[in-house]
Amino acid sequence: INICIIKTATTNSLLIIDELGRGTSTYDGFGLAWAISEHICKNIDCFCFFATHFHELPGLESDIKSVKNFHVAALASNDQLTLLYKIEEGPSDQSFGIQVQMLCVLLKE
């Protein structure tokens, strides 16, 4: 995440951050993602969307009242993934990284 985003955002900002904490080791990435999310919620207090692969991060919802978790609904069966283009409350109960890579033909198997 560009530090300029954190330094210049105000309560009137809309932040959209993809893969918060990505590109670091697992523990470092999770620590950064949690700290940045918490800072945005507690200090900036702006509207923010972010995507993450850290399954622990939805725990912020129990710590901070303004945090709400949502996910994109999908159906996975027989090695097929169908994105339903529907937003549902709560965190996703599974990851679809492999299926998405196969859709993009990045992996054969």
Side-chain angles (χ1 to χ4, degrees), residues 46-107:
C46 66
F47 200 80
C48 179
F49 290 104
F50 69 83
T52 183
H53 61 285
F54 295 111
H55 295 284
E56 303 86 357
L57 215 48
L60 274 173
E61 186 174 35
S62 63
D63 292 348
I64 303 171
K65 283 194 252 182
S66 62
V67 173
K68 301 290 179 238
N69 291 301
F70 294 91
H71 66 277
V72 176
L75 294 174
S77 63
N78 300 328
D79 294 329
Q80 291 282 97
L81 177 66
T82 304
L83 298 175
L84 301 178
Y85 300 98
K86 181 179 175 186
I87 304 296
E88 295 182 343
E89 286 191 43
S92 180
D93 62 351
Q94 61 184 13
S95 175
F96 299 110
I98 300 295
Q99 291 92 335
V100 169
Q101 288 182 13
M102 290 171 79
L103 283 172
C104 297
V105 193
L106 296 176
L107 293 176

Side-chain angles (χ1 to χ4, degrees), residues 6-55:
I6 299 299
K7 287 187 168 201
T8 61
T10 70
T11 56
N12 295 321
S13 297
L14 168 63
L15 299 181
I16 302 172
I17 304 169
D18 186 32
E19 288 296 345
L20 187 58
R22 190 70 168 194
T24 59
S25 70
T26 301
Y27 294 112
D28 290 345
F30 173 68
L32 285 168
W34 187 280
I36 291 167
S37 302
E38 193 172 50
H39 176 79
I40 290 168
C41 295
K42 291 182 174 180
N43 298 29
I44 301 172
D45 195 30
C46 66
F47 200 80
C48 179
F49 290 104
F50 69 83
T52 183
H53 61 285
F54 295 111
H55 295 284

